Amino acid sequence: MFKKKHPWYRSRGYLHFDSPISFKKAQSIVMSCDRVAKHSFYPLINYQIDSYKVAKDELGKLQKKVKERPIAYASHVDSHIYAYYAWRLNTSYEQKIQAAGLNDNVLAFRSLGKSNIEFADSAFEDIKRRKKCSAVALDVSGFFDNLDHQLLKKSWADLIGVDQLPQDHFNVFKSLTRFSSVNKDRLYAILNISASNPKNARHRVCEANVFRDAVRGAGLIDVNRNCFGIPQGSPISALLSNIYMLEFDKRAKQVMDEQGGSYYRYCDDMLFITTEEYRDDIEHFAQEEIKKLKLSINVKKTEKRDFWINAGVQVCNKPLQYLGFTFDGQRKLLRSAALARFSNRMKRGVRLAKATQRKRNAIKRNRGLNERELYKRKLYERYSHLGKRNFITYSHRAADHMKSDAIRDQVKPLWTRLEREMSD
């Protein structure tokens, strides 16, 4: 009922340069073209988190690498404006998708009621049906960071059927292309905001006058002065990336239809299923077409896999990796890197829980209180099948949908590993 009333509105509780506003207040802003056209957007607040990526080296050994993942989020009013315009644009976009017959080709950032599990399984089943075929998996380099502003503006205008963006649309576009941002750590340090308890009776980071003097005045604001790149953290960015790729998607589907093949795109991951005859041609086609969008293919991540029937079963020259899974013609599996990453995350979580337990028990001893054993409930919820939403339950859903006992065999040892980590 709530979503039907206003599908674009969502209350956000985080701290930003403005305070949260009600639906009524947000509605009065977003539905006024004049107010949106004149609206001054606040900088995004950004920070980075370390994610641990596991990859094989040249000798086939797993290597753990730390990858910095940028996170950015818009102010409350700005987020409502982005969400409202995304909702409006999405209606036109979905009409274009249906008209072009792309409903089963463009997978990411759409309300399809499916997850990576269903998308990957559908592609693997496509390969199984063909028996003898080739798969070409391509990855776009730095996707959001390299979207060309002029091409994006044209795609946006084409979608809504105009030659020039109306002022309200243009102001939203400008805020996303010439976006500004403030680093959260520096911001909190200057304003003496506690990182562990930032709200502390606050409704916003600071008042407007403090923003002018202490934030803008201190030179904390960084502005994107490039002619390319949009932030990933806004409620409209994902849709804009799909709009940007619309003509490419149409062309790719057309070419694959002519060959009797299949085309799938999940954000910057593209998968072409064709015959061995056209395998190299498809790679060349994608590279040339993507150049027209001023983007490039990451050749290091390109995969070309051949599948054929041998002794009555489907085999391949090397398993295909797609959306977190692998397929060798017979078995559907989780990527080994995903398992290793989860195992490392589980170990760090248990060690942190133990460190917290030791610290609290030291305080209890000093007070003459009884010590407590390791609090295991949260650990089980996060790292075992006893939780509702975690990697293990995701894996079990994948095993059920893909009818893959091999996936269950992959995650079985993780329970023993968790028990061992907690008992050591």
Side-chain angles (χ1 to χ4, degrees), residues 127-187:
I127 292 172
K128 283 179 68 175
R129 283 193 299 271
R130 294 173 185 274
K131 297 181 180 178
K132 189 177 189 298
C133 63
S134 292
V136 181
L138 304 170
D139 182 89
V140 180
S141 299
F143 190 41
F144 287 89
D145 294 337
N146 290 302
L147 299 186
D148 181 80
H149 294 167
Q150 291 304 311
L151 291 178
L152 176 61
K153 185 164 68 171
K154 184 181 185 308
S155 299
W156 191 329
D158 288 345
L159 181 71
I160 60 177
V162 297
D163 294 327
Q164 189 173 348
L165 290 178
Q167 282 303 310
D168 56 327
H169 284 259
F170 180 72
N171 197 33
V172 177
F173 163 81
K174 189 171 62 174
S175 74
L176 291 159
T177 50
R178 195 175 173 80
F179 64 92
S180 58
S181 58
V182 173
N183 179 264
K184 186 172 78 169
D185 295 333
R186 292 180 63 198
L187 176 68

Side-chain angles (χ1 to χ4, degrees), residues 351-368:
R351 288 168 188 169
L352 178 61
K354 284 183 175 181
T356 303
Q357 176 205 20
R358 288 193 295 269
K359 184 177 180 181
R360 290 178 177 173
N361 281 341
I363 295 173
K364 287 180 180 294
R365 281 197 301 272
N366 291 335
R367 294 177 178 175

